């Protein structure tokens, strides 16, 4: 009985290990069709978001699948024309093919028209995961999250060097500082203190 | 016995010249100068601290007015202190210059010479003390405004930054002018 039970135990262990090794890699089992799988990210590169100044947004697409992604379309509806204007790039772009283990990136430059808090939401990615597939795969990029767009006057107040303003201020100081100084200098040098006693002067 | 407090005309003029009182012309010049100096920092606050000119105009008017008064007070005090010191310093030079000028007039008496020297000394001391008082107090005030607005009160809002910078600068300038040493 003990020999029979140990044989059964050994057999069950062998079968279990064979099953585990067969199902370890998801989707990579022998005979499974090749499919593309895209990972998409959306990043805002600016340290400061300023009203009327450029904001650089980068979209990155990585294909971690085993087949090329076809007819890839990236669309970002989050930058409405009322709040933003497009300085460079397009919010809707198409890539014909992204090979497996490859990545592509796309940059858009937008300019906010107003200041305030703004929620940077995800862009939409759609693609065909294989040549035979007719169903379009839809996904979304990462979300940068909420960002504060500061007014331009506050940004200038903090970071602008104000060279021109200081030059004008210096010019305004000329009549209040330079002119009295020059007048005083003229009078004091005319009647400069003489260390030598007066010749023939009589002391009272 | 009653004391005679009547001064001669010359003594009265002397007292008037070396008193703390200033003429209307000098007073007007001091107030105009003080007003201009007090108004100059407004440019800084409008352009650098981004204050609105129209909405902040009541503050600008009140603070500029107070600063004008304090600066004029400082000019007056500084001039009085400096005039006495300058008069002592330039006495020799002025005497030499006047005697040289009167050298040709041999008929000029001693009293006329003394009067001329005194008058010239007063004039020179007055001019030099006035110009130096203006320069010194303006420089002190503007330096304190720049230090206050850019360093001391930097973290304050522009409203309070302007108020404290100007009032502290004008107040300290007026206070230092009461000192007897220059």
């Amino acid at each position: 009985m003990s020999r029979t039970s140990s044989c059964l135990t050994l057999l069950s262990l062998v079968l279990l290990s064979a099953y585990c090794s067969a199902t370890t890699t998801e989707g990579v089992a022998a005979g499974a069709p090749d499919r593309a799988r895209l990972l998409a990210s959306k990043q805002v590169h600016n340290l400061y978001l300023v009203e009327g100044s450029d904001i650089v947004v980068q979209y990155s697409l990585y294909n971690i699948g085993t087949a090329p992604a076809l007819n890839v379309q990236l669309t970002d509806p989050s930058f409405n024309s009322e709040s933003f204007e497009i300085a460079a790039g397009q919010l809707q772009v198409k890539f014909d093919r992204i090979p497996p283990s490859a990545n592509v990136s796309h940059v858009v430059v937008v300019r906010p028209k107003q200041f305030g808090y703004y929620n940077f939401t995800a862009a939409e990615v759609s693609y065909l995961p294989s040549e035979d597939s007719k169903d379009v795969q839809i996904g979304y990029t990462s979300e940068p999250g909420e960002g504060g767009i500061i007014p331009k006057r506050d940004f200038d107040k903090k970071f602008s060097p104000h060279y021109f303003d200081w030059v004008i201020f210096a010019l305004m100081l000329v009549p209040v500082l330079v002119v009295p100084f020059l007048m005083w200098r003229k009078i004091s040098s005319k009647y400069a203190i003489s260390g030598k006693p007066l010749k023939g002067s009589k002391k009272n | 016995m009653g004391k005679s407090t009547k001064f001669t005309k010359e003594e009265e003029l002397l007292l008037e010249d070396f008193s703390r009182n200033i003429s209307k012309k000098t007073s007007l010049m001091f107030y105009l100068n003080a007003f201009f100096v007090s108004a100059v920092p407004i440019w800084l606050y409008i352009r650098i601290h981004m204050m609105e000119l129209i909405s902040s105009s009541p503050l600008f008017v009140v603070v500029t007015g107070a600063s004008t008064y304090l600066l004029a007070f400082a000019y007056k005090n500084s001039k009085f202190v400096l005039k006495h010191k300058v008069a002592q310093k330039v006495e020799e030079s002025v005497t030499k210059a006047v005697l040289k000028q009167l050298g040709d007039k041999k008929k000029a008496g001693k009293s006329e010479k003394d009067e001329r020297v005194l008058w010239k000394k007063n004039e020179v001391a007055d001019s030099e003390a006035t110009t130096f008082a203006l320069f010194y107090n303006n420089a002190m005030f503007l330096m304190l405004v720049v230090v206050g607005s850019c360093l001391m009160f930097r973290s304050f809002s522009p409203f309070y930054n302007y108020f404290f910078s100007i009032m502290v600068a004008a107040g300290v300038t007026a206070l230092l002018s009461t000192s007897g040493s220059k």
Side-chain angles (χ1 to χ4, degrees):
Chain A
M1 284 293 287
S2 61
R3 192 178 278 182
T4 309
S5 62
S6 65
C7 286
L8 282 171
T9 308
L10 187 62
L11 182 63
S12 61
L13 279 173
V14 169
L15 287 171
L16 183 64
S17 61
Y19 174 77
C20 286
S21 62
T23 57
T24 306
T25 309
E26 197 176 347
V28 193
D34 292 336
R35 287 178 66 86
R37 192 169 176 184
L38 291 184
L39 298 179
S41 71
K42 176 179 173 181
Q43 286 175 299
V44 175
H45 280 282
N46 287 52
L47 184 60
Y48 292 98
L49 306 176
V50 184
E51 176 196 6
S53 297
D54 294 346
I55 294 177
V56 178
V57 182
Q58 181 175 351
Y59 307 88
S60 302
L61 302 171
Y62 303 86
N63 185 359
I64 60 170
T66 54
L70 304 170
N71 199 22
V72 180
Q73 297 216 7
L74 172 69
T75 308
D76 193 349
S78 61
F79 296 110
N80 57 70
S81 57
E82 289 176 358
S83 304
F84 292 89
E85 61 171 334
I86 310 297
Q90 296 173 4
L91 293 174
Q92 211 167 358
V93 67
K94 182 182 173 184
F95 301 96
D96 291 330
R97 185 187 177 89
I98 301 178
S101 303
N103 61 72
V104 294
S105 63
H106 175 66
V107 175
V108 175
V109 179
V110 296
R111 250 180 238 139
K113 294 179 182 176
Q114 313 161 5
F115 60 88
Y117 286 99
Y118 186 78
N119 193 19
F120 293 88
T121 56
E124 188 180 284
V125 179
S126 65
Y127 61 98
L128 291 172
S130 65
E131 287 182 10
D132 302 328
S133 174
K134 292 179 183 177
D135 297 328
V136 175
Q137 185 77 35
I138 294 176
Y140 297 92
T141 65
S142 58
E143 290 182 14
E146 192 177 58
I149 301 172
I150 58 177
K152 186 163 174 55
R153 63 187 291 116
D154 288 351
F155 182 80
D156 287 343
K157 182 181 160 185
K158 195 171 180 182
F159 294 105
S160 174
H162 299 286
Y163 291 133
F164 176 74
D165 300 325
W166 282 108
V167 166
I168 298 296
F169 180 68
L171 289 175
M172 291 166 85
L173 294 185
V174 168
V176 296
L177 286 180
V178 176
V179 168
F181 176 76
L182 290 176
M183 287 173 67
W184 169 74
R185 195 86 181 104
K186 185 181 172 185
I187 297 168
S188 68
S189 61
K190 190 177 176 184
Y191 296 97
I193 300 164
S194 155
K196 298 177 184 178
L198 284 172
K199 288 184 182 178
S201 62
K202 294 179 183 178
K203 288 184 180 180
N204 293 323
Chain B
M1 287 179 68
K3 291 180 182 177
S4 171
T5 56
K6 208 175 178 181
F7 294 108
T8 63
K9 194 180 174 184
E10 290 76 17
E11 286 169 341
E12 277 181 6
L13 278 170
L14 253 179
L15 280 171
E16 194 182 320
D17 286 340
F18 286 93
S19 71
R20 204 176 267 268
N21 298 326
I22 54 176
S23 64
K24 284 183 182 177
K25 185 183 168 186
T26 307
S27 178
L28 181 66
M29 183 182 68
F30 278 174
Y31 274 99
L32 281 175
N33 204 294
F35 174 75
F36 187 73
V37 173
S38 301
V40 163
I42 293 176
W43 167 261
L44 273 184
Y45 280 88
I46 289 172
R47 298 292 298 185
I48 294 174
H49 293 273
M50 302 291 182
M51 285 182 78
E52 293 284 345
L53 177 63
I54 295 171
S55 61
S56 307
S57 56
L59 173 71
F60 289 151
V61 166
V62 170
V63 172
T64 302
S67 174
T68 300
Y69 175 77
L70 288 170
L71 279 179
F73 175 79
Y75 293 151
K76 193 176 159 185
N77 285 346
S78 297
K79 185 199 165 182
F80 176 71
V81 171
L82 283 166
K83 191 172 176 180
H84 287 281
K85 292 185 178 178
V86 170
Q88 290 170 11
K89 285 181 184 176
V90 301
E91 185 171 5
E92 202 174 303
S93 312
V94 168
T95 306
K96 201 175 172 182
V98 170
L99 287 176
K100 190 178 176 182
Q101 198 178 11
L102 291 173
D104 296 334
K105 299 181 183 178
K106 294 180 182 177
K107 289 184 181 177
K110 186 181 179 302
S111 62
E112 189 184 342
K113 286 182 185 176
D114 287 343
E115 198 180 312
R116 279 287 192 96
V117 167
L118 196 61
W119 173 81
K120 189 68 180 174
K121 189 173 74 174
N122 176 60
E123 191 191 17
V124 170
D126 193 85
S127 304
E128 195 170 327
T130 301
T131 50
F132 190 78
L134 286 174
F135 166 71
Y136 181 81
N137 286 296
N138 290 349
M140 174 75 68
F141 172 75
L142 290 167
M143 183 200 70
L144 289 172
V145 165
V146 170
V147 167
S149 67
C150 297
L151 290 174
M152 285 170 57
F153 308 112
R154 189 180 180 179
S155 58
F156 289 24
S157 67
F159 182 93
Y160 291 106
N161 187 325
Y162 175 75
F163 179 81
F164 284 113
S165 295
I166 302 297
M167 294 314 298
V168 166
V172 169
T173 304
L175 182 67
L176 290 177
S177 72
T178 58
S179 163
S181 60
K182 279 282 186 297

